Amino acid sequence: QVIFGYLYAAAGLIFAVFMGGLSLGVRQQKKWGDFSLFKVQILMMIVALLVSCIILILTKISSGFLLIPIIGVIIFIPAYITGHQFALALNKLPCEDENKTGYLYGVDLLGSALGFLIISAVFIPVFGYVSSVSIVISVNLIFALILYYHRK
């Protein structure tokens, strides 16, 4: 019970930090105004690279006192950028339908679920961690270039 209770508390904390990052990212996007999706995608690519490097360093840290705040930061920052990106994409969505938020959220959930399954079930077991990170960063770069060439 002690071990599983700790795991449940840690999982709850991870979800809370992630959701907090998402909501703050959406809220801050409204304050910052219009920001290029291309720039946010490049920022996400850079953060993915930095987080991946930090994860490799985490294996060397044995102190739980340091580990928990570092994990919180590497969860919060990508979540914040994702929230910012979601709000930008919602503003750029061309349809004026009242259901566009639900549509975008559904597509976002589908993409995140498929991405999680592909990365965890295929890429990491087949290619390893470092190659999988390289693939993810390359895909981010491709989407950033698509956004750059289709900007208005």
Side-chain angles (χ1 to χ4, degrees):
Q1 176 62 30
V2 170
I3 293 172
F4 290 115
Y6 178 74
L7 290 176
Y8 287 127
L13 187 59
I14 287 169
F15 283 120
V17 169
F18 184 78
M19 296 307 269
L22 284 176
S23 63
L24 190 61
V26 168
R27 189 136 175 92
Q28 291 297 319
Q29 192 281 324
K30 291 178 181 178
K31 290 181 181 178
W32 287 2
D34 197 21
F35 200 73
S36 166
L37 271 171
F38 165 73
K39 291 178 185 176
V40 175
Q41 192 67 32
I42 292 293
L43 181 61
M44 184 62 92
M45 186 179 67
I46 292 168
V47 167
L49 180 63
L50 292 174
V51 165
S52 300
C53 292
I54 292 170
I55 288 173
L56 290 174
I57 294 169
L58 284 179
T59 59
K60 310 285 189 263
I61 298 173
S62 60
S63 169
F65 183 72
L66 288 175
L67 202 57
I68 292 172
I70 292 171
I71 290 172
V73 168
I74 65 174
I75 291 170
F76 181 82
I77 292 174
Y80 176 85
I81 296 169
T82 301
H84 192 81
Q85 195 173 31
F86 182 84
L88 274 173
L90 188 61
N91 290 337
K92 305 263 186 211
L93 205 60
C95 69
E96 293 300 323
D97 187 10
E98 59 196 32
N99 294 325
K100 76 177 185 176
T101 304
Y103 170 77
L104 185 61
Y105 185 64
V107 170
D108 185 41
L109 287 176
L110 178 65
S112 62
L114 288 175
F116 173 77
L117 287 173
I118 292 169
I119 294 293
S120 63
V122 179
F123 284 8
I124 292 176
V126 172
F127 302 115
Y129 179 75
V130 174
S131 295
S132 296
V133 168
S134 299
I135 292 168
V136 168
I137 290 171
S138 299
V139 168
N140 267 298
L141 181 60
I142 289 167
F143 281 113
L145 292 172
I146 290 169
L147 288 168
Y148 179 77
Y149 288 114
H150 287 92
R151 68 187 186 281
K152 293 179 183 176

